[in-house]
Amino acid sequence: MSRFETVSKISVGGIEVDNPFWIAPLAGITVPAVRRFFEKQGAGLTHTEMVSCSGVIHGNRKTLRMLRKGGQKSPAVLQFFTGNADSLVQCVDKGGDTWRKSFDAFSINMACPMPKVIKKGAGAALLKRKDSARRMVEELRKAGLPVWVKMRLVSAGDLSETLRFVETLIEAGADHVTLHGRTPAQRYEGSADMEAVCRVASAFCGMVSASGDVFSPQAAMTYLERGASAVFFARGILRDPFIVERTLDNWRKVPFSSRNNLSPAVKIKRLMDLGEDLYRDEGEKICLVLIKRFLSSIFKGLRGASRFRRDVADTHSWEETVHVLENWRELAERSDLNG
Ligand SMILES: Cc1cc2nc3c(=O)[nH]c(=O)nc-3n(C[C@H](O)[C@H](O)[C@H](O)COP(=O)(O)O)c2cc1C
């Protein structure tokens, strides 16, 4: 048994999970290698990137690559985006038994505020298209996996529209709803309304998980203590790629003496392993983009951080990046980089 497995599982949204600390769907980021990285840290569940139903239907190669579970053993949710129920049905028909065997639930994206998604009547546009949203849930239920929805606050201030929307989804048969505490108009600006998310979660006990501004173990714990069934880590994993492990240690009250040593040298080594995995799975270009995003955070507040960031930013191949990282790891092992 790994140090993060619990004896008793928790059942949320039709899935048995080890814990309520989950990795959010992140377009361009939650590829299989990244999901495995967080699985190793103990995340209870992960999401794929959002997958375009139209891309699946038309056999787009890039889209089809997103449909791999990639050897992951812990639960994974496959998220789709589309503006209509017919294309959702057509898309899911294509995957048939393969997806049913690989994934643990299907999720519908009703949260994305980006114009290219909204324009198609998809993502957050569905918050204003309640009948279509309801039909999507009803149709997807027939595919034989639990149906999840990820949504945003429908409007600012008054919660009644959001509560009614969640109620509609649940009546239509949604097994689980995740609420991001920003409105579509806010995109990623300002702060998430944690209070609103917790009030909605409390109103639909056991059915609603939380997303928005989960940048610390404390924020995750606050959501749980105030009624959310689970918490989604999103930009938080870019600011601190080890946040899940730290949160689990807090949640399980692991004594400080038994916690993993997350020194700069250890963090660099772990991210180098992630880089190798990304390089093998995704190729050099994607590996470099992603690994640089994760690396940019780890030296924050430490002596030499800006030099490290510059050295990494200046690399143009994985081989060069490995060379820089080896040098910094040696330095970190030899000296005290704590500022
Ligand atoms: C780069 C990026 C990609 C995202 N991709 C998706 C996606 O594919 N599907 C989705 O439902 N939400 C997506 N989101 C939204 C996140 O899952 C999350 O709800 C949002 O970032 C709020 O959480 P945070 O404030 O903790 O980052 C994305 C967010 C970011 C920053």
Side-chain angles (χ1 to χ4, degrees):
M1 190 166 95
S2 90
R3 64 195 277 272
F4 292 123
E5 272 175 59
T6 38
V7 177
S8 54
K9 300 249 180 196
I10 311 165
S11 178
V12 185
I15 306 183
E16 304 273 293
V17 291
D18 280 339
N19 63 64
F21 302 104
W22 300 347
I23 301 299
L26 291 167
I29 297 172
T30 48
V31 295
V34 169
R35 301 201 304 264
R36 288 193 296 268
F37 177 79
F38 288 102
E39 174 183 51
K40 271 189 220 141
Q41 276 189 47
L45 176 146
T46 61
H47 282 79
T48 64
E49 314 171 65
M50 62 176 181
V51 173
S52 154
C53 287
S54 156
V56 173
I57 293 164
H58 294 105
N60 179 298
R61 272 183 45 200
K62 211 171 143 203
T63 308
L64 297 179
R65 270 184 65 74
M66 295 177 182
L67 300 163
R68 298 159 295 156
K69 180 147 183 202
Q72 195 187 330
K73 293 184 187 65
S74 58
V77 176
L78 173 54
Q79 190 190 62
F80 294 112
F81 77 94
T82 179
N84 71 79
D86 293 339
S87 89
L88 186 59
V89 172
Q90 227 183 315
C91 163
V92 171
D93 277 352
K94 289 235 166 198
D97 268 353
T98 316
W99 298 346
R100 268 187 289 275
K101 283 189 191 132
S102 321
F103 292 98
D104 298 272
F106 290 132
S107 161
I108 309 169
N109 183 324
M110 301 192 189
C112 183
M114 293 309 169
K116 69 173 189 194
V117 172
I118 297 275
K119 205 166 65 195
K120 295 182 178 138
L126 287 161
L127 300 175
K128 300 274 178 228
R129 302 178 60 226
K130 214 192 247 184
D131 289 341
S132 299
R134 180 194 294 118
R135 222 190 120 222
M136 280 187 185
V137 172
E138 286 167 353
E139 290 298 329
L140 193 55
R141 272 193 72 76
K142 298 175 190 163
L145 277 186
V147 173
W148 290 23
V149 173
K150 181 148 176 291
M151 61 176 282
R152 286 180 172 238
L153 292 173
V154 178
S155 50
D158 181 14
L159 266 187
S160 57
E161 279 191 286
T162 302
L163 288 164
R164 274 202 300 275
F165 195 87
V166 174
E167 191 172 39
T168 301
L169 297 174
I170 291 173
E171 277 170 9
D175 295 280
H176 192 69
V177 175
T178 303
L179 181 60
H180 174 188
R182 287 185 175 82
T183 61
Q186 268 183 287
R187 296 208 186 171
Y188 294 95
E189 303 296 322
S191 38
D193 189 341
M194 290 178 113
E195 170 70 29
V197 172
C198 294
R199 277 176 53 203
V200 175
S202 303
F204 299 94
C205 191
M207 297 291 291
V208 178
S209 54
S211 175
D213 293 350
V214 186
F215 295 122
S216 65
Q218 291 71 25
M221 293 308 299
T222 304
Y223 272 127
L224 287 186
E225 282 157 12
R226 296 180 56 194
S229 306
V231 183
F232 279 38
F233 289 97
R235 288 171 299 170
I237 63 170
L238 297 171
R239 288 202 194 170
D240 173 8
F242 302 92
I243 191 170
V244 174
E245 185 164 332
R246 292 197 302 117
T247 305
L248 281 165
D249 278 347
N250 282 10
W251 187 59
R252 300 201 198 296
K253 299 189 170 54
V254 175
F256 281 96
S257 55
S258 310
R259 295 186 182 193
N260 271 337
N261 169 17
L262 290 176
S263 65
V266 168
K267 289 181 179 176
I268 293 174
K269 171 70 178 81
R270 294 242 213 124
L271 289 175
M272 284 172 77
D273 292 344
L274 169 61
E276 290 293 344
D277 211 6
L278 280 167
Y279 183 78
R280 261 194 313 270
D281 258 27
E282 307 293 333
E284 189 160 46
K285 202 167 150 204
I286 293 178
C287 162
L288 285 181
V289 170
L290 283 178
I291 209 65
K292 285 181 182 183
R293 287 190 83 166
F294 283 114
L295 279 166
S296 69
S297 64
I298 65 168
F299 269 53
K300 207 168 275 164
L302 299 179
R303 200 148 26 95
S306 49
R307 166 89 196 285
F308 172 71
R309 260 190 231 112
R310 241 188 352 261
D311 285 355
V312 169
D314 285 346
T315 61
H316 298 289
S317 68
W318 175 235
E319 200 184 334
E320 272 181 75
T321 313
V322 168
H323 184 67
V324 168
L325 294 177
E326 289 286 12
N327 284 345
W328 276 94
R329 185 154 71 102
E330 258 175 49
L331 188 70
E333 269 165 0
R334 270 190 280 115
S335 65
D336 178 12
L337 288 173
N338 291 298

